[in-house]
């Protein structure tokens, strides 16, 4: 089992940057595929980015490609989401998620573990 705690959210102007972090408990962090999802008010939870267990493979939703970068440090049990050139439409609660598999899945139902979320608000 793993517990996830996100941090780094906040209020930023359009065009600015934020770096989200997700700290995971446990000693088997490297067996988990890690992902970031987001949910805006009144909308369904949306896939943002995913990273493989080793960190060697990543995937992104089209709307954030070239602006967001997901990374992980298995020695520190952390996964990060560097968000640049932020837009008002990026405003949402951002969630870190994990599942003990291999496929870089975008389906939230696959993920077993979730953090509590961190709010990102981008003003225009």
């Amino acid at each position: 089992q793993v517990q996830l705690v996100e941090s780094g959210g906040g209020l930023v102007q359009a065009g600015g940057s934020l770096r989200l972090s997700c700290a995971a408990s446990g000693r088997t962090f490297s067996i988990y595929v890690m992902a970031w999802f987001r949910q805006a008010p009144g909308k369904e939870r949306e896939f943002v980015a995913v990273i493989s267990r080793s960190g060697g493979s990543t995937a992104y939703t089209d709307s954030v490609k070239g602006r967001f970068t997901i990374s992980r440090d298995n020695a520190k049990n952390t996964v990060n989401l560097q968000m640049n050139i932020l837009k008002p439409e990026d405003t949402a609660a951002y969630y870190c998620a994990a599942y003990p598999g291999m496929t870089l899945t975008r389906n939230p139902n696959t993920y077993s573990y979730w953090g509590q979320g961190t709010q990102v608000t981008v003003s225009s």
Side-chain angles (χ1 to χ4, degrees):
Q1 193 169 9
V2 64
Q3 292 184 325
L4 305 173
V5 179
E6 302 97 335
S7 61
L11 173 64
V12 64
Q13 289 188 333
S17 297
L18 281 175
R19 183 177 178 86
L20 305 184
S21 292
C22 174
S25 64
R27 293 179 289 179
T28 57
F29 180 69
S30 61
I31 73 170
Y32 295 95
V33 170
M34 301 297 299
W36 287 94
F37 290 80
R38 65 187 179 186
Q39 188 167 18
K43 295 188 176 182
E44 293 187 352
R45 191 162 293 190
E46 174 190 27
F47 165 79
V48 176
V50 61
I51 190 166
S52 63
R53 298 186 301 181
S54 68
S57 296
T58 58
Y60 300 88
T61 191
D62 286 347
S63 63
V64 309
K65 284 181 181 177
R67 299 189 298 122
F68 291 11
T69 302
I70 188 171
S71 62
R72 68 188 294 163
D73 185 335
N74 287 344
K76 296 182 178 179
N77 285 12
T78 57
V79 61
N80 301 304
L81 185 68
Q82 178 66 42
M83 306 186 296
N84 298 328
I85 317 175
L86 282 160
K87 304 176 180 180
E89 51 264 44
D90 294 319
T91 295
Y94 282 71
Y95 298 88
C96 174
Y99 93 100
M102 296 187 66
T103 303
L104 299 188
T105 179
R106 303 177 182 218
N107 184 352
N109 295 323
T110 303
Y111 290 82
S112 314
Y113 306 102
W114 293 83
Q116 83 289 350
T118 186
Q119 179 66 34
V120 171
T121 302
V122 184
S123 63
S124 58

